[in-house]
Amino acid sequence: MQSRWSGADAAECVERYREAGEDLALRVYSSRLIGQEPDLVLHGGGNTSVKSKTRDLFGEEMTVLHVKGSGWNLDTIEPPGLPALRLLELQRLRGLDELDDERMVRELRRSLLDPGAPNPSVETLLHAFLCHKFVDHSHADAILALTNQPDGEKRIHELFGDRVAWAPYVMPGFPLAKQVAEIVEASPAADAIVLEKHGLVTFADEAQQSYERHVEIVETAERMIAAEIEGRRLLDARPVVSMREAGEIAPLVRGALAVPTQDPDRPYQRWILEHRDSTEIAHFAAADAAPMLAESPPITPDHVIRTKGPYLYLKEPAYSDLDTLAAQLAVGVEAYRQAYRAYFERNVEARGIERTMLDPTPRVVVLPGLGLFAAGATRKEARIAADIAEHNIKTKLWASMIGHYAGLPESDLFDMEYWSLEQAKLGRRTPDLLEGQVALITGGAGAIGEGIAKAVLAAGGAVMLTDIDPERLSAVADRLSSDRCETVEADVSDARELQAAFRQTALSFGGVDLVVANAGVAVAGRLEELEVEEFQRAVDVNLGGTFLTVGEALRQLRIQGTGGNIIVLSSKNVFAPGESFGAYSASKAGAHQLGRVAALEGAAFGVRVNMINADAVFGSKENPSGLWKEVGAGRAAARGLPEQELEAFYRNRNLLKVRITAEHVGNAVVFFASQATPTTGAALPIDGGLPGAFPR
Ligand SMILES: [Zn+2]
């Protein structure tokens, strides 16, 4: 690790945040430098502070502590992310013998200059009780590899001498803050302190000095580790090669992790999965020590809220037989949940306290030959858990190669996991309607595909768009601009490409819950004139494509085992065909019939299949309907209208006199996916009311 400090950048930051003052501007600058190193801090981890002077409303000068506020990440922090607290009030607290957490949080909030500021870090008092102007605290991997050892203190002392003090493990909060201040005051040679099995704190009177000390200490530890493990095979393991791809196995993992609920409309709590397979993970998963290390506690206590303590490690997965593998996963998850319940009860009982147990499902699953899958209620949470797991695995691997990994005892972990202040970090919120659901939408580049994607994303779902047109596909993805949306090129009339698209969806999100067979082509022409090739083209895409999409969807949803929804975009033409539109109407009628058969076949494993019969969706200016581009001129001519009047003609034709939009179709898809009604095999017209096309 190298110092990223640049005098020019620091000066530029001071200039940019002139109003905040030089101290705070430099604090912002070097906090960001720390935040840019994932080997130092991850996702809201770590915290920094500066002691400075400011004036109150009456012009009176006072000393304040700016400390990281909750909800901010160091890499993107701004001055408001480091709220100011009255330092003297905080320092007075040190005289107390005890200060419980709730009281501490109230005192911190009371000391804020701006009552609207975010909650100051739970480690605020640690910063306040140290006398140095700048304080930097991280959970550096290399330091954690050294302190998570039975002889961690000795190792730190041998490597750094008196320069780095040592604090035995104490839970963050008031007692840790007091302990650290006492140790630092009693160690005049120290310009840093390692917190056992927790992290590193450096301090200095200059921002650059405190930051560069931090980097230098971590760099020394990294070099020492690198020298010891150089040329050795990681954990003496030879990575296993799996005969399966991660995208093929992910739905089984996702199915096993899903939590059955008592709610018939929302029968499962589903997770989004994030897959990782770095070299380190491959070696880790194949090592003899893997089961023990996977179950060992995290490298720093605050990771427990994202990944729980142990990971689920599956020994010898039966990749040759997916049914056996699914059974192995189910047994593994159930055993994990039981062990978690026992851990919870044991610790609650030992303390004589009452707590509500958190969901006992594992958040990280390690599979030899495939890597790891991290689970989160949202994609963001899954990614955070995966990043944390990756750094934990790398650090445990280092620790085991230079000694023996020894994490926190279970009781300390429990205190952290059930600490109200940590739980507050996760925030309580009502889940979005389709949170945790993954949709695959064919014909995703088209007007209706985009409208459906928009609606599913707005309802909190994740989306994979497939299409044959990569340029239009990426234009749609750009417009949707969501980190829950991805695209993959695939032709629905090609079974192999379609299977690859499903596999890519599972690799990106863990599986699929909602499949929308939307791809279609418009072929116009009177039957007596229509070329057989043209007729065949409509059949291949509209009927054959639906057959392949629905068939693969049923296979995937059966493997995953948590039900799901399939929507077939049929057409108003199914009920009311149009002249010169035989190939289209007939192929769509076939697709519609396939959907009804799929409803019969999928019900046994909880899959609902419904049809949407839309009419005259012209699309938007950015994404005009491909269908109308192809047949609009002909339809207008057939009706003796100029083409630009066609849309108005269709609007006036329906009972409600409304323009039908792609978003209307999207709303219908969300309705079916929400399972608000027990409906399958049904057709929902979205046409403003056309008596001739009423379903019957
Ligand atoms: Zn910390």
Side-chain angles (χ1 to χ4, degrees):
M1 184 169 297
Q2 301 279 307
S3 168
R4 293 169 182 249
W5 188 279
S6 139
D9 290 354
E12 202 253 331
C13 200
V14 169
E15 180 58 28
R16 188 167 358 132
Y17 297 119
R18 202 160 7 137
E19 271 183 33
E22 183 174 333
D23 288 343
L24 185 53
L26 286 173
R27 182 65 281 178
V28 166
Y29 174 66
S30 69
S31 300
R32 287 182 189 166
L33 299 185
I34 290 180
Q36 283 160 21
E37 298 280 4
D39 289 349
L40 288 181
V41 295
L42 288 167
H43 303 290
N47 38 67
T48 56
S49 70
V50 62
K51 299 175 183 78
S52 185
K53 299 231 186 283
T54 190
R55 286 187 191 281
D56 66 13
L57 270 180
F58 308 98
E60 223 158 291
E61 193 179 70
M62 69 169 118
T63 314
V64 291
L65 174 78
H66 288 278
V67 69
K68 198 196 90 161
S70 69
W72 287 84
N73 286 354
L74 288 179
D75 57 338
T76 50
I77 204 154
E78 304 269 343
L82 289 148
L85 297 96
R86 295 178 194 89
L87 184 60
L88 291 179
E89 291 180 15
L90 299 179
Q91 285 170 338
R92 274 190 64 203
L93 296 172
R94 203 178 152 186
L96 297 172
D97 291 331
E98 266 176 42
L99 179 64
D100 68 51
D101 298 329
E102 275 66 30
R103 198 61 209 248
M104 179 182 81
V105 169
R106 274 211 301 275
E107 287 301 310
L108 296 184
R109 276 217 73 80
R110 205 181 51 75
S111 304
L112 282 167
L113 258 57
D114 174 1
N119 266 338
S121 160
V122 297
E123 286 170 323
T124 295
L125 292 181
L126 186 151
H127 293 261
F129 294 172
L130 290 171
C131 63
H132 312 78
K133 184 164 177 158
F134 286 88
V135 178
D136 294 49
H137 167 48
S138 81
H139 303 148
D141 292 343
I143 296 297
L144 293 171
L146 292 176
T147 99
N148 281 288
Q149 299 276 351
D151 57 349
E153 182 176 4
K154 193 167 139 250
R155 285 169 183 267
I156 295 291
H157 193 73
E158 275 171 8
L159 194 59
F160 300 107
D162 291 343
R163 185 190 168 183
V164 177
W166 170 267
Y169 182 80
V170 170
M171 191 158 126
F174 182 66
L176 177 65
K178 270 183 89 156
Q179 186 210 48
V180 165
E182 278 158 26
I183 295 171
V184 169
E185 284 160 13
S187 322
D191 54 21
I193 182 166
V194 164
L195 314 180
E196 183 183 10
K197 301 179 203 288
H198 175 167
L200 172 67
V201 181
T202 55
F203 31 82
D205 288 328
E206 302 291 334
Q208 183 174 2
Q209 216 177 4
S210 179
Y211 164 72
E212 288 191 334
R213 260 176 206 166
H214 210 95
V215 172
E216 189 200 322
I217 288 168
V218 173
E219 159 78 6
T220 305
E222 281 178 345
R223 245 185 294 141
M224 177 252 153
I225 293 167
E228 273 209 38
I229 69 176
E230 202 204 332
R232 289 166 59 191
R233 190 183 292 140
L234 298 175
L235 279 185
D236 290 328
R238 216 181 274 279
V240 191
V241 180
S242 155
M243 56 192 287
R244 303 279 184 175
E245 290 169 35
E248 204 180 349
I249 300 304
L252 277 78
V253 177
R254 186 163 181 261
L257 293 179
V259 186
T261 68
Q262 301 306 314
D263 181 356
D265 298 332
R266 205 182 173 137
Y268 293 97
Q269 196 219 313
R270 301 177 162 99
W271 307 96
I272 301 292
L273 300 190
E274 175 79 8
H275 174 249
R276 299 287 165 88
D277 58 357
S278 67
T279 313
E280 277 99 354
I281 295 171
H283 281 84
F284 176 93
D288 288 341
M292 183 270 289
L293 283 175
E295 284 171 16
S296 63
I299 53 179
T300 187
D302 106 317
H303 289 172
V304 75
I305 57 165
R306 300 294 191 174
T307 61
K308 298 201 171 287
Y311 303 162
L312 172 59
Y313 177 86
L314 201 64
K315 220 175 166 182
E316 293 170 20
Y319 292 127
S320 58
D321 177 21
L322 296 188
D323 288 337
T324 311
L325 180 59
Q328 284 178 328
L329 283 162
V331 169
V333 171
E334 192 39 45
Y336 185 101
R337 286 179 177 145
Q338 267 178 27
Y340 186 88
R341 282 185 204 107
Y343 148 84
F344 174 78
E345 277 157 23
R346 214 164 37 235
N347 283 282
V348 164
E349 212 167 294
R351 285 162 185 75
I353 53 170
E354 270 186 42
R355 289 282 184 280
T356 307
M357 191 181 79
L358 298 165
D359 164 49
T361 302
R363 294 296 191 275
V364 181
V365 181
V366 181
L367 294 180
L370 281 185
L372 72 79
F373 294 95
T378 60
R379 190 177 207 197
K380 189 174 165 213
E381 284 179 15
R383 285 180 160 170
I384 291 176
D387 288 346
I388 286 175
E390 248 189 287
H391 282 266
N392 270 263
I393 282 177
K394 185 192 72 184
T395 306
K396 288 180 185 181
L397 199 132
W398 282 351
S400 310
M401 290 180 72
I402 63 170
H404 294 282
Y405 180 75
L408 281 172
E410 170 185 296
S411 60
D412 287 324
L413 213 61
F414 176 86
D415 286 340
M416 198 68 181
E417 189 174 3
Y418 284 87
W419 192 25
S420 53
L421 306 189
E422 280 297 293
Q423 288 302 320
K425 273 192 193 173
L426 296 174
R428 292 271 162 266
R429 51 184 182 79
T430 355
D432 289 330
L433 193 58
L434 299 189
E435 183 176 291
Q437 289 212 38
V438 179
L440 182 150
I441 303 166
T442 70
I448 292 182
E450 181 173 350
I452 296 171
K454 209 187 266 181
V456 171
L457 289 169
V463 168
M464 178 64 84
L465 293 171
T466 78
D467 206 284
I468 48 167
D469 185 338
E471 271 161 43
R472 280 187 76 191
L473 204 48
S474 72
V476 170
D478 284 350
R479 279 198 294 277
L480 293 169
S481 154
S482 164
D483 63 355
R484 282 178 283 124
C485 176
E486 291 202 2
T487 63
V488 59
E489 202 182 324
D491 178 350
V492 290
S493 61
D494 182 319
R496 248 193 295 176
E497 282 187 22
L498 201 60
Q499 269 170 15
F502 273 87
R503 214 164 274 191
Q504 183 57 44
T505 309
L507 191 63
S508 296
F509 300 108
V512 73
D513 310 290
L514 167 63
V515 176
V516 186
N518 166 59
V521 290
V523 172
R526 302 183 68 80
L527 296 179
E528 62 201 88
E529 291 155 4
L530 193 65
E531 301 279 349
V532 67
E533 290 81 10
E534 279 294 276
F535 182 78
Q536 194 57 48
R537 186 165 71 93
V539 170
D540 283 349
V541 177
N542 298 347
L543 179 57
T546 300
F547 162 68
L548 292 175
T549 306
V550 170
E552 190 58 27
L554 287 170
R555 267 189 294 280
Q556 292 291 322
L557 293 171
R558 185 197 282 279
I559 285 174
Q560 194 172 258
T562 51
N565 284 277
I566 299 173
I567 313 288
V568 175
L569 264 287
S570 61
S571 161
K572 156 257 167 197
N573 286 44
V574 170
F575 302 110
E579 218 175 293
S580 294
F581 231 30
Y584 183 79
S585 303
S587 56
K588 281 289 189 182
H592 188 91
Q593 189 73 306
L594 279 181
R596 305 201 317 182
V597 174
L600 300 174
E601 296 179 358
F605 47 102
V607 176
R608 303 170 181 206
V609 188
N610 291 288
M611 278 61 76
I612 290 177
N613 302 76
D615 184 44
V617 179
F618 284 81
S620 60
K621 211 173 275 161
E622 301 92 47
N623 197 348
S625 155
L627 183 147
W628 287 99
K629 223 182 330 184
E630 221 162 307
V631 303
R635 305 312 290 166
R639 300 184 191 284
L641 293 166
E643 205 182 331
Q644 64 272 25
E645 279 172 34
L646 198 61
E647 200 174 331
F649 167 80
Y650 279 99
R651 187 175 57 228
N652 287 318
R653 179 173 84 161
N654 68 54
L655 292 171
L656 299 174
K657 312 288 180 215
V658 289
R659 179 174 171 261
I660 315 298
T661 67
E663 283 73 18
H664 291 142
V665 181
N667 293 342
V669 169
V670 169
F671 165 72
F672 283 126
S674 73
Q675 305 205 152
T677 61
T679 303
T680 191
L684 180 63
I686 310 213
D687 55 11
L690 295 171
F694 284 172
R696 57 193 172 265

